[in-house]
């Protein structure tokens, strides 16, 4: 094991990080100075001695990954010192509108900042616990790609993932879930530094967090190390990280005792957690540190120089790696082509041709089953698919026959090249891990549970959407159609929750072609997560459905001229709408039917197309076996569930709530009569005074 | 410590429970036979020897509480044997429509089953991990009420809480959060039996759950016991529970090794987890157990007799307790009156008079601050309020000055009579614990975090609503108005998510009187949880607001005749709407403003009232600094956020998105022009063809 060689500039660099963090937060008059000030030593030791990154190429594939789970200004300060494209002016714009330095590190979101910001954070942190889960995902991805692509003498994929975390993250359930799975998966490439500063917002952790964290992580199967003086014992910090790197079959937690807000008059109290330091406190601190007390945002030349050396080392490491990759291309041309394709994120040519296509005469099937058929067809052509379920594999139908489990080889249950992850009953952890897997690159993760329990993972789904992580949720048993399990398992509010989330494609396909369309669009959307809301019960294939039409998010399923009524529906209720329309047509009430499998995608179509689908002239009635909330955007009248579902065989539950062809025909007639009586022209709800 | 005295009927009773569970699931052709068959011995030992309940009075206040966290048919079988009002026909109707025996135990929900079902389950289980959290809440409630009401010689409140849990629950993060807090709180009255059967839906727990559960619970500060043969070693089961009862300052986890589906040909495999047993398997099992192989739903007389004895013991215990309560009434008449009032759930007379009332000339304040003022006024008159925050006390403003922490006295930080719980950063656990606290009775829990992070607790909030638990969420920082923390912390989809959840009152008050109204209705709604969505930033008091008007969920804030436009808004945007209306009025465009602080309550008002508020005649424009989803139910046009928020000082963020009086006036004018051009009468969106 190597050892720590002190450099003259170490202390001044650490003091500089501390002072910069204080300056940044004070200038913004908002933020969290305490944690970056406390973690400056470990950040400095890690980056100056152990971390392999090249600031000139933030996307170098084999770089070490760094996640600041307790997301704060530390990330920005480090990026600036290291020479990433983040200027001192950017630091001064911390928490200001449209700056590169928002309140918490964002992997990128609106306003085209998506790519622009991607060097700042490849995962979004701030919401506690998410970064920890992302770190586990990054480590999973490394282990998987190493197993798939590395060859003897060609350790092309061998980076480490470092996560900094605090008390807050460790209290969160999502962290517990991810940590337990990381232990099971024996992820030796994952090193977590726990900032044990005894302080959270409510004060001393003694008020609520008195568990034995070391023992807890031992119970998960982690290696646990500790550094008693994280404020100044740099060799101990170095040795702990170096030791962690040597442990190949366990993730490591390093418990680092630090003093929050080190150097401040209020150090060690929650007074420095989430409020700026006062001016006199900062001055005194700088004097104590030997920095000019009157200069803000000051970086001594020795620090810039030391950090430039880190960059040089990283550039040289990348150059060596590129040379190795070049040799690999000669010895393993096929693998090389595949690896570089996957790194680029390009899908293989003609992969879409593997999508199943259905005729209306094909047998009715549950859309969860149609999803299984799609995955089975796609898996051979899309090896970047890395699937999994939260202990509902046989219900979600997400494991492709013959696929190998992603497991530590020592378990005898699979290996790291395996493409199916047993997540256990850990929905929230699964979501956060999947975000990390996608953030690594080269992999498209899909994950699964009942739609109702995607809500357990809402925090992670939100960050998929905000960060643009292409995670595909296979969310089965998506309505009262699940039947007997009853209201505790039947989604009501779930669809509108996720339909209202920006940059999330919530698909509720009605049949085979629509399911294929959902996969088509989800797989092509590199920066948008998707939820595929799928039925437990069988659904007939529609006459008019095609992948192409469904891929527009909405289309006409049953067309007539001069209609008296349009019924718009989604998922398992579309065929019920078709049945109702047939009954109405038979009674001389001409009825169109529209399927709207994905609002997000439909809303992106040209206004002209949308108005041709949901056209003016006749009232539009929406039908879905869920809350009607949100449907008034697309319809004049809404039929759905008034409250909770019910436990019972699903056909009986549908009957109970009047979601049958014959009752919807009755309701449809009511709507037609109502609008006849009302008189005047009926205008499409899509005709609006303005667009947001 | 007492010891186990075997009875002749023990084995036949256990076999009967196993066979009944198998019959129940097979008859329904749906359900989970394995766990009840495996846990029959512990259920029998617990109920026959140790559990204090009176089936003739399911609501006896000091009964032991039982939570089947891995919710399944076992609960129903036990209730029937014990003589609760659950007939053999009810068992035969398992998982059938409108039966008393739905797929998972429901505390009750729609169709007036609320009270009817309350004996079957006072907490709803099935969604994994929730029951565990509820159990912690039940134990918190017992400890609190004991500290408040017990007197020397009067241990009126001294019951235990027993939780049965499985691997699935223990994998969930919500369980980790609740378990860590239970250890911190030293809840000696909580006994959890962990059905360690090595099986979950994906098969052997070796595939995903290999952590050391005993060590993990030791790390939380629990006592951990184990029973190696939970299939037949009844004395060991008894001794473990008896020992658990003796430990007064730690919760206990008993790891019970069982064989899932004990007796089935498929015992010990996931084949018995979630699928009915085959007919021949059940017959063979009954033969093996010495039960008549050809009889379904058979209970031997010896078992009915043994269980009748349990009931008698319970009735006698309750009678003793009533006698003690009677003596207490003589010695402590004031405390007795208060205890019985709180048990009844009646609020004290005239408590509403403590609600703060505001004039429009009162200073602008943040609604989180207005909430603090309300809580400060209410706490002295409503001692049943037991508050807390997920480590955001100083931001949520939820701790009433001078209140004592709910803490184990040994910590020196408070005592169990304290009314403020430090939940730590454990939102989901907090929600599940609060459900348990309310289920106990005598307490109204309120909990707090940022609105955005209520989403972490969505699973628990859903069960509050489904079960009718009166939990009040103080959800602050409820929009882009939180400013600098940015999009990771700014809710977009959160309001519509919870507004679409049945039986949940989501309040977004606009000022002081509306905040008081939200508390008024939330506190009076005994079977409905509420989320109070509150601002970080200051809000002026409206001229027209009164508690009475706001308590209707919606009302006119600014009235004019023959308006050209109505703006409907909620929360922090109402005053911006008023500003816009003033500008429009000045330009001769007569504009009304409606405040809609609570859709759930507004929707319950008579149609006539609702139509007077959102009337026909002019277009209605909605305004909210959130997703516009759902607002088309109340308006013709919708203004809000098109996607994510942004990090920056909040005024700048509002400007960026055009949510200012002057821009909304411009938008309002566009709407008026658009409808003028469109021509024809403008009908209120509340005028519908049918009501669900």
């Amino acid at each position: 094991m190597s050892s720590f060689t002190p450099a003259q500039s170490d202390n001044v660099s650490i003091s500089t990080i501390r002072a910069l963090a204080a300056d940044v937060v004070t200038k913004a008059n908002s933020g969290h100075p305490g944690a970056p000030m406390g973690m400056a030593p470990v950040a400095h030791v890690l980056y100056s001695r152990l971390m392999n990154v090249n600031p000139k190429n933030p996307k170098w594939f084999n770089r070490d990954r760094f996640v600041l789970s307790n997301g704060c200004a530390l990330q920005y300060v480090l990026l600036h010192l290291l020479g990433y494209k983040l200027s001192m002016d950017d630091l001064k714009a911390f928490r200001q509108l449209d700056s590169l330095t928002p309140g918490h590190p964002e992997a990128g979101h609106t306003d085209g900042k998506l790519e622009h910001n991607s060097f700042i954070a490849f995962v979004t942190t701030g919401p506690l616990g998410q970064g920890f889960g992302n770190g586990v995902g990054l480590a999973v991805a490394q282990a998987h790609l190493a197993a798939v692509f590395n060859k003897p003498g060609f350790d092309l994929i061998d980076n480490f993932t470092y996560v900094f975390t605090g008390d807050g993250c460790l209290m969160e359930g999502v962290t517990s879930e991810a940590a337990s799975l990381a232990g099971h998966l024996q992820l030796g490439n994952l090193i977590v530094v726990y900032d044990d500063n005894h302080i959270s917002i409510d004060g001393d952790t003694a008020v609520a967090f008195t568990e034995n964290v070391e023992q807890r992580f031992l119970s998960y199967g982690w290696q646990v190390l500790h550094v008693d003086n994280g404020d100044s014992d740099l060799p101990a910090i170095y040795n702990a990280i170096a030791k962690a790197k040597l442990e190949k079959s366990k993730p490591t937690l390093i418990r680092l005792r630090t003093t929050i807000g080190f150097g401040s008059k209020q150090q060690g109290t929650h007074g420095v957690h989430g409020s700026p330091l006062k001016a006199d406190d900062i001055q005194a601190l700088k004097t104590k540190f030997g920095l000019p007390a009157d200069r803000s945002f000051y970086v001594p030349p020795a620090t810039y120089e030391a950090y430039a050396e880190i960059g040089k080392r990283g550039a040289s490491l990348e150059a060596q790696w590129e040379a190795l990759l070049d040799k690999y291309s000669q010895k393993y041309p096929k693998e090389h082509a595949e690896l570089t394709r996957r790194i680029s994120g390009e899908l293989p040519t003609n992969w879409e041709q593997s999508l199943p296509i259905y005729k209306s005469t094909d047998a009715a099937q549950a859309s969860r089953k149609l999803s299984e058929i799609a995955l089975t067809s796609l898996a051979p052509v899309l090896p970047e698919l890395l699937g999994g379920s939260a202990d509902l594999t046989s219900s979600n139908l997400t494991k492709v026959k013959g696929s190998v489990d992603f497991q530590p080889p020592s378990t005898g249950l699979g290996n790291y090249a395996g493409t199916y992850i047993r997540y256990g009953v850990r929905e929230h952890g699964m979501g956060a891990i999947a975000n990390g897997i996608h953030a690594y690159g080269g992999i498209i993760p899909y994950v699964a549970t009942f739609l109702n329990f995607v809500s357990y993972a809402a925090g992670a789904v939100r960050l998929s959407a905000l960060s643009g992580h292409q995670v595909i949720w296979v969310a089965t048993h998506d309505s009262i159609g699940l039947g007997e399990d009853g209201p505790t398992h039947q989604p009501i509010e779930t669809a509108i929750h996720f339909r209202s989330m920006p940059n999330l494609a919530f698909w509720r396909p009605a049949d085979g072609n629509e399911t294929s369309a959902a996969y088509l669009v989800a797989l092509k959307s590199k920066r948008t997560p998707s939820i595929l809301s799928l039925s437990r019960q069988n659904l007939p294939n529609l006459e008019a459905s095609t992948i192409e039409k469904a891929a527009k998010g909405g289309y006409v399923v049953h067309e007539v001229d001069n209609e008296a009524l349009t019924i718009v529906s989604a998922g398992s209720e579309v065929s019920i709408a078709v049945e109702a329309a047939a009954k109405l047509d038979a009674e001389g009430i001409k009825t169109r039917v529209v399927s709207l499998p994905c609002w997000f995608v439909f809303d992106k179509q040209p206004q002209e197309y949308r108005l041709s689908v949901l056209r003016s002239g006749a009232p539009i009635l929406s039908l879905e076996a869920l809350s009607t909330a949100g449907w008034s955007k697309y319809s004049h009248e809404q039929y759905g569930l008034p409250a909770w579902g019910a436990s019972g065989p699903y056909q009986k539950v549908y009957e109970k709530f009047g979601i049958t062809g014959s009752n919807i025909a009755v309701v449809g007639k009511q709507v037609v009569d109502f609008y006849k009586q009302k008189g005047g022209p009926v205008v499409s709800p899509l005709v609006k005074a303005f667009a947001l």
Side-chain angles (χ1 to χ4, degrees), chain A:
Chain A
M1 194 166 103
S2 59
S3 68
F4 181 75
T5 317
Q8 270 201 322
S9 59
D10 284 333
N11 285 334
V12 70
S13 294
I14 291 167
S15 296
T16 298
I17 295 171
R18 286 175 161 142
L20 266 180
D23 281 342
V24 160
V25 172
T26 292
K27 174 85 163 59
N29 196 24
S30 173
H32 304 75
M37 292 170 72
M39 296 199 91
V42 67
H44 174 72
V45 170
L46 176 64
Y47 271 94
S48 66
R49 307 298 202 282
L50 294 148
M51 186 93 171
N52 297 338
V53 290
N54 179 8
K56 296 286 169 273
N57 179 12
K59 294 188 171 181
W60 172 31
F61 199 72
N62 196 41
R63 71 190 182 279
D64 287 335
R65 270 37 170 206
F66 176 72
V67 178
L68 191 63
S69 189
N70 49 351
C72 62
L74 178 59
Q75 187 124 351
Y76 304 136
V77 170
L78 289 171
L79 289 168
H80 171 71
L81 294 179
L82 287 160
Y84 288 81
K85 282 190 195 156
L86 199 72
S87 69
M88 195 58 97
D89 282 343
D90 291 325
L91 291 188
K92 289 178 185 166
F94 179 54
R95 294 189 161 223
Q96 301 311 301
L97 205 59
D98 299 325
S99 75
L100 284 179
T101 46
H104 298 277
E106 294 166 24
H109 54 105
T110 45
D111 306 332
K113 285 203 297 185
L114 210 63
E115 288 307 318
H116 191 44
N117 258 15
S118 62
F119 73 92
I120 292 188
F122 44 93
V123 295
T124 299
T125 53
L128 294 175
Q130 300 295 335
F132 191 107
N134 299 158
V136 174
L138 290 162
V140 164
Q142 187 278 326
H144 178 66
L145 291 176
V148 172
F149 288 106
N150 286 356
K151 300 282 178 195
F154 291 92
D155 283 341
L156 280 168
I157 316 284
D158 68 349
N159 71 281
F160 283 86
T161 295
Y162 297 97
V163 178
F164 283 6
T165 188
D167 294 298
C169 286
L170 293 187
M171 285 189 248
E172 290 284 8
V174 58
T175 297
S176 297
E177 293 176 11
S180 176
L181 187 60
H184 168 78
L185 293 174
Q186 304 176 16
L187 299 171
N189 54 355
L190 175 63
I191 298 170
V192 175
V193 177
Y194 160 37
D195 181 19
D196 182 20
N197 63 29
H198 288 210
I199 295 295
S200 67
I201 294 177
D202 269 17
D204 196 293
T205 50
V207 303
F209 189 51
T210 51
E211 64 176 45
N212 183 329
V213 172
E214 292 200 21
Q215 188 176 21
R216 177 176 143 210
F217 275 78
L218 288 171
S219 82
Y220 297 144
W222 287 50
Q223 170 176 240
V224 177
L225 307 174
H226 57 95
V227 176
D228 291 333
N229 171 8
D231 292 334
S232 60
D233 191 348
L234 308 189
I237 294 172
Y238 180 92
N239 291 339
I241 301 174
K243 187 169 177 190
K245 292 179 74 170
L246 294 179
E247 170 58 70
K248 296 294 179 202
S249 62
K250 286 178 178 182
T252 296
L253 181 84
I254 301 172
R255 187 173 65 78
L256 186 81
R257 276 292 282 127
T258 69
T259 304
I260 191 169
F262 184 88
S264 158
K265 290 172 189 169
Q266 289 194 83
Q267 70 174 30
T269 74
H270 72 287
V272 291
H273 180 285
S275 313
L277 267 52
K278 299 225 166 65
D280 64 332
D281 193 6
I282 295 191
Q283 289 197 352
L285 171 150
K286 288 177 181 166
T287 304
K288 203 181 337 179
F289 288 163
L291 294 168
D294 55 343
R295 293 187 65 176
S296 285
F297 294 96
Y298 171 71
V299 177
T303 295
Y304 273 136
E305 282 159 23
Y307 275 72
E309 286 304 315
I310 301 173
K312 280 187 205 158
R313 189 188 71 212
S316 137
L317 284 167
E318 186 182 356
Q320 289 167 39
W321 185 83
E322 290 289 350
L324 189 67
L325 184 65
D326 198 51
K327 278 195 208 155
Y328 184 80
S329 76
Q330 291 153 27
K331 189 152 182 194
Y332 302 103
K334 211 179 114 208
E335 287 81 353
H336 175 265
E338 184 66 0
L339 174 60
T340 48
R341 179 188 73 76
R342 286 179 61 173
I343 291 176
S344 76
E346 290 305 316
L347 299 179
T349 328
N350 295 329
W351 70 273
E352 308 96 313
Q353 295 177 1
S354 298
L355 284 166
I357 301 172
Y358 297 85
K359 295 186 301 286
S360 62
T361 49
D362 289 335
Q365 303 215 59
S367 52
R368 60 174 172 150
K369 180 74 188 167
L370 296 163
S371 161
E372 184 185 37
I373 294 167
L375 285 171
T376 304
S377 300
L378 292 171
V381 292
L382 293 178
E384 51 264 68
L385 286 172
L386 181 61
S389 162
D391 195 45
L392 283 169
T393 297
S394 54
S395 299
N396 300 140
L397 304 178
T398 33
K399 187 170 189 300
V400 172
K401 216 177 158 178
S403 64
V404 172
D405 270 17
F406 176 86
Q407 294 277 5
S410 69
T411 59
L413 298 168
N415 57 59
Y416 287 138
T419 53
Y420 196 75
I421 302 181
R422 305 285 181 170
Y423 282 101
V425 192
R426 303 181 180 104
E427 298 83 3
H428 201 176
M430 177 169 72
I433 290 169
N435 288 342
I437 291 174
H438 182 261
Y440 190 91
I443 301 175
I444 302 175
Y446 68 90
V447 294
T449 182
F450 286 180
L451 176 60
N452 194 55
F453 300 114
V454 182
S455 300
Y456 271 40
V461 173
R462 190 173 207 274
L463 289 195
S464 294
L466 179 62
S467 315
H469 293 311
Q470 184 185 21
V471 174
I472 300 173
W473 283 80
V474 179
T476 70
H477 296 66
D478 72 341
S479 76
I480 51 172
L482 77 74
E484 288 85 350
D485 273 320
T488 56
H489 288 53
Q490 292 166 350
I492 301 298
E493 74 291 357
T494 320
I496 185 62
H497 174 199
F498 293 118
R499 282 168 175 158
S500 309
M501 198 177 271
N503 192 37
L504 176 73
F506 182 91
W507 286 90
R508 203 162 173 260
D511 74 351
N513 290 330
E514 290 198 7
T515 305
S516 290
Y519 273 103
L520 174 71
V521 180
L523 287 163
K524 282 166 75 173
S525 306
K526 291 186 196 178
R527 303 296 307 202
T528 299
S530 303
I531 294 177
L532 277 47
S533 166
L534 303 166
S535 75
R536 178 192 183 210
Q537 74 271 29
N538 285 347
L539 309 178
N541 284 294
L542 304 169
E543 281 196 28
S545 79
T546 66
I547 295 179
E548 195 192 358
K549 285 195 269 182
K552 291 184 175 166
Y555 64 102
V556 182
V557 160
H558 175 65
E559 187 59 284
V560 296
D561 286 338
N562 297 315
E563 75 277 11
L565 178 72
T566 292
I567 307 180
V568 58
S569 186
S572 43
E573 286 71 67
V574 175
S575 55
I576 296 171
V578 170
E579 205 187 314
K583 284 183 199 291
L584 287 163
D585 282 342
E587 295 181 50
I589 300 171
K590 291 165 79 176
T591 304
R592 292 165 81 230
V593 179
V594 166
S595 178
L596 219 57
C598 184
W599 297 7
F600 176 78
V601 170
F602 182 68
D603 287 353
K604 287 187 185 293
Q605 303 305 319
Q607 169 83 341
E608 195 188 338
Y609 175 73
R610 286 184 290 126
L611 277 173
S612 76
V613 174
L614 293 171
R615 68 188 175 201
S616 296
I620 303 174
L621 165 68
S622 77
L623 170 66
E624 194 170 41
L626 299 170
S627 164
T628 58
W631 274 106
S632 44
K633 183 175 168 189
Y634 304 104
S635 61
H636 303 92
E637 302 286 328
Q638 298 79 34
Y639 198 90
L641 290 194
W644 307 106
S647 169
Y650 82 91
Q651 302 91 336
K652 302 243 175 203
V653 181
Y654 268 87
E655 273 166 33
K656 177 185 169 80
F657 292 109
I659 303 184
T660 58
S662 48
N663 187 54
I664 296 306
V666 172
V667 173
K669 226 178 307 176
Q670 262 181 286
V671 171
V672 171
D673 290 347
F674 177 81
Y675 279 81
K676 216 176 274 170
Q677 218 163 14
K678 202 171 168 183
V682 183
V683 179
S684 167
L686 297 183
V687 177
K688 302 295 260 186
F690 62 89
L692 266 184

